[in-house]
Amino acid sequence: MSPMTTMDLLERTIVRSGHRLTTPRRRLLEVMDGLGDRFTADQVLAASPGVGRATVFRTLRLMQELGVVCQVVLDGGGVAYRLGSGGHHHHVVCSECGAVSDFASHDIEDLVAELGRRSGFEIDSHRLELYGRCQRCRATLILD
Ligand SMILES: [Zn+2]
Ligand SMILES: [Zn+2]
Ligand SMILES: [Zn+2]
């Protein structure tokens, strides 16, 4: 048996949630997979000739609901999307090249719960992105 590809994993998640992986949806996911660490809706649109803007946005929204795509807030405040690893997680974003990695931390989740208790808020959600320079970009700086 050949190893599972990203597309296989995405397909499994989508089908398990009771949705169909229609041809346009599959096309769009393949495009997203090819766009790398993160992508904008416009990039997906530009790379998908014959697929309308509404379909791109509808698919992005559905994929977010299913946890297949997540939002990444960029250094400048813009929003990009990323094929998700599923489950709650956070991002480290490189300010130089835009590379993104996921991380999860029990300590952060505990802190959020504690801050909720202290503030008297019932916290529904939170977002945390870390910005900096990735290893590759730092290596380039040293070599320059
Ligand atoms: Zn993510
Ligand atoms: Zn970088
Ligand atoms: Zn968290």
Side-chain angles (χ1 to χ4, degrees), residues 28-140:
L28 287 174
L29 284 174
E30 278 165 358
V31 164
M32 294 176 203
D33 193 26
L35 284 172
D37 277 358
R38 84 245 168 300
F39 44 83
T40 62
D42 283 337
Q43 282 177 309
V44 176
L45 193 60
S48 318
V51 182
R53 195 176 185 82
T55 306
V56 167
F57 277 93
R58 243 193 339 261
T59 305
L60 276 172
R61 203 160 42 230
L62 174 66
M63 295 304 144
Q64 284 181 82
E65 280 164 23
L66 300 183
V68 168
V69 164
C70 58
Q71 279 191 345
V72 183
V73 179
L74 302 175
D75 209 358
V79 172
Y81 300 92
R82 168 173 172 76
L83 282 179
S85 51
H88 178 76
H89 64 275
H90 298 283
H91 303 121
V92 251
V93 184
C94 179
S95 318
E96 295 280 332
C97 70
V100 181
S101 300
D102 296 346
F103 71 92
S105 156
H106 289 300
D107 289 340
I108 290 172
E109 304 315 315
D110 289 347
L111 176 62
V112 168
E114 169 61 22
L115 291 173
R117 277 191 295 273
R118 268 195 242 163
S119 64
F121 272 58
E122 190 179 296
I123 306 296
D124 292 327
S125 67
H126 64 273
R127 198 194 274 287
L128 174 67
E129 333 268 355
L130 307 182
Y131 305 102
R133 282 184 307 279
C134 72
Q135 238 167 10
R136 188 175 297 177
C137 287
R138 276 166 41 225
T140 313

